[in-house]
């Protein structure tokens, strides 16, 4: 692995992504940086603090930092601070990525479902809790009739799910002006829906809206991040977890860094 890392040299980085991954139970996490164009992991650091991500940027040359055009990340302030300190014109390059935003919205939908079930206004049906997490096109064919029946009951969770699905339109709009207009409509809908979790997530997104809408000028290939996440989950599953961060780091770098491992 060390030989492969040495051979990588100082490659240009254009579109990069930052994320954190738990490698063991409790608050034991690693910070990962990936090259979204190449689909490779470029850095694994222990913890998820500002200093953790700063350690990555400190390894880059001025030319590499100047060459970065977009940084995709979760809405996590420690990462945000590190990028502002080390990436030129960072405000225009930070993109709060779709995957993490929709994860927040999905959790809000699930909270609406749990509260509605707890209040006894709708009986919980085994397996139905997972249906509301699907997007419309990914809903299993065998569950479509059941899901349509649930939606016809005018449930609160049905309204929350409709908001989640509508929000996905944001990432297909052609201009920032149209995206802002769309967001104003969606924000009003969520905050006037009398569904508290949806209002809370709307407020969360609007606080970071400038760096959500950068997705229009810097369209980030979300599939790359999802593919790397899937590979890392497979690594963790095969290892039945990791006892320490160093072993996790070695495994991820070995399998996901695009290394030339063969001797010349």
């Amino acid at each position: 692995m060390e030989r492969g890392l040495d051979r990588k040299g100082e490659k240009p980085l254009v579109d990069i992504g930052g994320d954190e991954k738990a490698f063991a139970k409790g608050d034991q996490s690693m910070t990962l940086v990936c090259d979204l164009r190449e689909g490779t992991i470029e850095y694994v650091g222990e913890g998820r603090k500002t200093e953790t991500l700063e350690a990555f940027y400190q390894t880059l040359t001025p030319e590499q930092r100047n060459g970065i055009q977009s940084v995709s990340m979760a809405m996590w302030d420690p990462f945000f601070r590190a990028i502002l300190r080390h990436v030129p014109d960072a405000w225009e390059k930070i993109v709060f990525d779709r995957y993490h935003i929709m994860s927040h919205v999905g959790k809000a939908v699930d909270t609406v479902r749990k509260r509605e079930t707890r209040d006894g206004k709708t009986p919980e049906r085994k397996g139905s809790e997972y249906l509301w997490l699907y997007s419309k096109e990914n809903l299993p064919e065998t569950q479509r009739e059941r899901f349509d029946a649930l939606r016809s009951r005018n449930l609160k969770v049905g309204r929350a799910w409709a908001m989640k699905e509508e929000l996905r339109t944001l990432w297909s709009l052609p201009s920032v002006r149209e995206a802002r207009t769309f967001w104003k409509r969606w924000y009003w809908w969520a905050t006037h829906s009398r569904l508290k979790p949806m209002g809370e997530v709307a407020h969360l997104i609007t606080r970071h809206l400038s760096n959500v809408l950068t997705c229009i000028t810097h369209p980030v290939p979300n599939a790359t991040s999802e593919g790397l996440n899937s590979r890392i989950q497979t690594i963790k599953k095969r290892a039945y977890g990791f006892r320490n961060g160093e072993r996790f780091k070695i495994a991820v770098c070995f399998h996901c860094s695009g290394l030339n491992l063969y001797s010349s």
Side-chain angles (χ1 to χ4, degrees):
M1 187 193 75
E2 290 176 354
R3 181 174 65 238
L5 289 174
D6 287 339
R7 289 177 176 176
K8 290 192 76 167
E10 296 177 356
K11 60 177 284 189
L13 297 170
V14 181
D15 299 314
I16 62 176
D19 199 359
E20 56 95 8
K21 283 292 178 186
F23 65 87
K25 292 183 178 179
D27 190 22
Q28 299 188 69
S29 300
M30 287 286 196
T31 294
L32 283 70
V33 178
C34 61
D35 182 335
L36 293 174
R37 292 199 173 188
E38 299 291 331
T40 56
I41 296 293
E42 298 300 318
Y43 170 78
V44 182
E46 192 166 350
R48 54 175 191 152
K49 300 179 180 179
T50 299
E51 295 79 8
T52 310
L53 191 55
E54 281 189 312
F56 163 70
Y57 287 111
Q58 289 165 356
T59 67
L60 303 182
T61 64
E63 291 75 17
Q64 286 176 304
R65 290 197 295 270
N66 286 323
I68 294 172
Q69 294 182 9
S70 71
V71 184
S72 176
M73 56 175 281
M75 292 182 288
W76 178 239
D77 285 342
F79 288 178
F80 192 73
R81 289 193 293 269
I83 296 165
L84 288 179
R85 291 174 186 173
H86 295 278
V87 178
D89 302 318
W91 276 105
E92 301 171 4
K93 298 176 180 179
I94 294 174
V95 183
F96 291 132
D97 70 76
R98 173 179 175 173
Y99 173 81
H100 287 97
I101 293 170
M102 293 308 298
S103 291
H104 283 292
V105 178
K107 288 177 183 177
V109 173
D110 199 45
T111 300
V112 171
R113 178 193 64 79
K114 289 177 180 177
R115 292 180 181 178
E116 192 170 24
T117 302
R118 182 191 62 200
D119 293 342
K121 294 182 180 180
T122 177
E124 182 67 272
R125 297 179 63 183
K126 187 176 180 180
S128 67
E129 64 269 27
Y130 301 109
L131 296 180
W132 304 106
L133 302 180
Y134 282 102
S135 58
K136 185 175 181 180
E137 65 271 16
N138 291 331
L139 189 72
E141 194 64 39
T142 56
Q143 297 291 332
R144 289 189 181 276
E145 185 175 346
R146 181 188 186 190
F147 187 67
D148 289 341
L150 286 171
R151 288 199 65 199
S152 69
R153 296 176 60 183
N154 194 30
L155 302 173
K156 291 181 179 179
V157 65
R159 289 194 285 128
W161 179 86
M163 291 178 201
K164 172 178 73 75
E165 290 300 288
E166 179 65 14
L167 182 59
R168 296 168 63 218
T169 303
L170 179 69
W171 287 272
S172 63
L173 296 174
S175 71
V176 174
R177 185 175 64 83
E178 291 181 67
R180 285 191 181 277
T181 301
F182 171 86
W183 173 254
K184 288 178 182 177
R185 291 198 303 267
W186 192 92
Y187 178 81
W188 191 94
W189 183 17
T191 54
H192 288 74
S193 65
R194 291 185 291 181
L195 301 176
K196 187 176 179 180
M198 301 308 294
E200 289 174 346
V201 78
H203 288 306
L204 171 67
I205 296 171
T206 210
R207 288 198 298 270
H208 299 89
L209 187 61
S210 293
N211 292 106
V212 173
L213 298 183
T214 47
C215 68
I216 307 298
T217 52
H218 298 295
V220 175
N222 200 55
T224 303
S225 295
E226 292 180 3
L228 284 170
N229 285 335
S230 178
R231 290 175 65 185
I232 292 169
Q233 286 299 112
T234 301
I235 291 168
K236 290 169 60 178
K237 185 176 180 180
R238 287 177 178 173
Y240 294 95
F242 291 88
R243 294 185 180 180
N244 60 64
E246 189 61 26
R247 292 184 179 182
F248 175 76
K249 178 179 178 179
I250 292 171
V252 170
C253 287
F254 185 87
H255 292 285
C256 302
S257 294
L259 305 180
N260 178 5
L261 300 169
Y262 299 100
S263 56
S264 55

